[in-house]
Amino acid sequence: MTSGPRNLITDVPGLLVGNAQDDALKSGATVLTAPNPFMASVHVMGGAPGTRETDLLAPDKSVSRVDAIALSGGSAFGLDACSGVADALRTQHRGFEVGNVVVPIVPGAILFDLLNGGDKAWAENPYRALGRRAFEGASDQFDLGTAGAGTGALAAMQKGGLGSASFVMENGVTVGALVAANPLGSVTTPGDRHFWAAPFEIGDEFGGLGPDSNTGLGRVLTSRKAKAMRPAQPDKANTTIAIVATDAALSKPQCHRLAVAAHDGIARAIVPAHTPGDGDLVFGVSTGNHDLPQAELGLLGHVASICLARAIARAVFLASPASGDLLPCWSGLHDLS
């Protein structure tokens, strides 16, 4: 397996991604969409999720295809990004047809970035406009790191961010991952240098430093994020929200199974993961252009999990510094020149 030509989720044919952010707000939104509705489901493993329209993505619910998926900062306020996307879709007459009415289907998930040093004293919720801007700017190329929904993200030890990665399997199926990483846990081992996801790195996509050679890792959990946010409750100010996608033709239950399997990627890249204070969530998406034998569905889930682990590491690796940051960037701690 190799990464796709862009090493982005948009290597999955037809998928487009747009970002919008407000640097003063230290927050933003990211939207995944496509020219045609696509199959989607979701699985939640974190204890503190914030979502919209995710119930309808359960395998037994009637609506199986969606028009876009929005990831946003802003905690519950950020769910309004979905409304901005729906507004834009409505002007294009895109959505689920009910008689002569068209209803855009836009599930979404949010992360908590309200205590990251940005200016949150808005008079009007900014996320509706951010969602619309992100949708209207969607293309097959988009920025990673401090961008979109990852603009204000913070991991335990450094700035978080927006990450993406892709794989092309030997059977020709493409798999991609998109993630806004804002976890309670750390993406790096003690010392901040090595990524937990290092065994799965392709080339030097997040530094090429390899795995940490130390043993007994994971027993001591240090968090600059927790210290920076006190006296607030830092264990409730987190979340990793992600999308894994493929051009394999999957049913809605199979998209759900893809999302379940991809959660392993969060656990491989973040320690600890899936805590009561994280809203860890993965959407599973299929564009349905490539036949996949039933026997290979397990392999597809494994590939998605590795792809997501790589995307999380890339989110932190590519984060960039900004005025008023609470935490350093990985790049500011390590000079690879």
Side-chain angles (χ1 to χ4, degrees), residues 311-323:
I312 291 168
R314 294 190 80 201
V316 171
F317 177 72
L318 294 170
S320 56
S323 176

Side-chain angles (χ1 to χ4, degrees), residues 57-260:
L57 299 183
D60 64 324
K61 299 301 185 290
S62 59
V63 175
S64 59
R65 297 184 182 274
V66 305
D67 300 291
I69 297 174
L71 307 179
S72 180
S75 188
F77 300 104
L79 293 175
D80 214 27
C82 299
S83 298
V85 178
D87 288 345
L89 284 162
R90 186 171 182 270
T91 66
Q92 299 178 13
H93 202 68
R94 291 175 56 185
F96 185 74
E97 294 186 1
V98 185
N100 62 352
V101 177
V102 176
V103 182
I105 306 297
V106 186
I110 50 83
L111 56 82
F112 187 100
D113 59 3
L114 298 179
L115 300 176
N116 64 359
D119 180 6
K120 305 303 193 293
W122 63 74
E124 180 179 336
N125 188 323
Y127 289 97
R128 191 176 192 123
L130 286 168
R132 182 163 191 158
R133 277 174 45 204
F135 173 82
E136 292 175 341
S139 76
D140 60 4
Q141 296 283 354
F142 58 98
D143 291 335
L144 300 181
T146 305
T151 298
L154 303 173
M157 300 303 289
Q158 318 90 355
K159 286 183 71 171
L162 188 75
S164 192
S166 68
F167 264 131
V168 179
M169 300 170 62
E170 292 181 2
N171 59 13
V173 168
T174 300
V175 179
L178 176 69
V179 62
N182 181 63
L184 175 72
S186 179
V187 179
T188 53
T189 64
D192 302 331
R193 184 172 176 81
H194 297 273
F195 288 91
W196 289 109
F200 311 106
E201 185 175 15
I202 303 298
D204 61 353
E205 62 186 346
F206 43 90
L209 298 174
D212 195 326
S213 61
N214 292 306
T215 59
L217 300 173
R219 294 181 296 173
V220 178
L221 302 178
T222 303
S223 175
R224 293 190 185 98
K225 181 178 182 177
K227 293 177 182 177
M229 288 189 174
R230 287 194 180 105
Q233 295 176 291
D235 61 330
K236 294 179 173 60
N238 312 285
T239 287
T240 295
I241 47 178
I243 304 168
V244 292
T246 180
D247 59 352
L250 302 183
S251 65
K252 193 177 181 184
Q254 288 173 330
C255 283
H256 178 258
R257 179 50 50 185
L258 180 70
V260 171

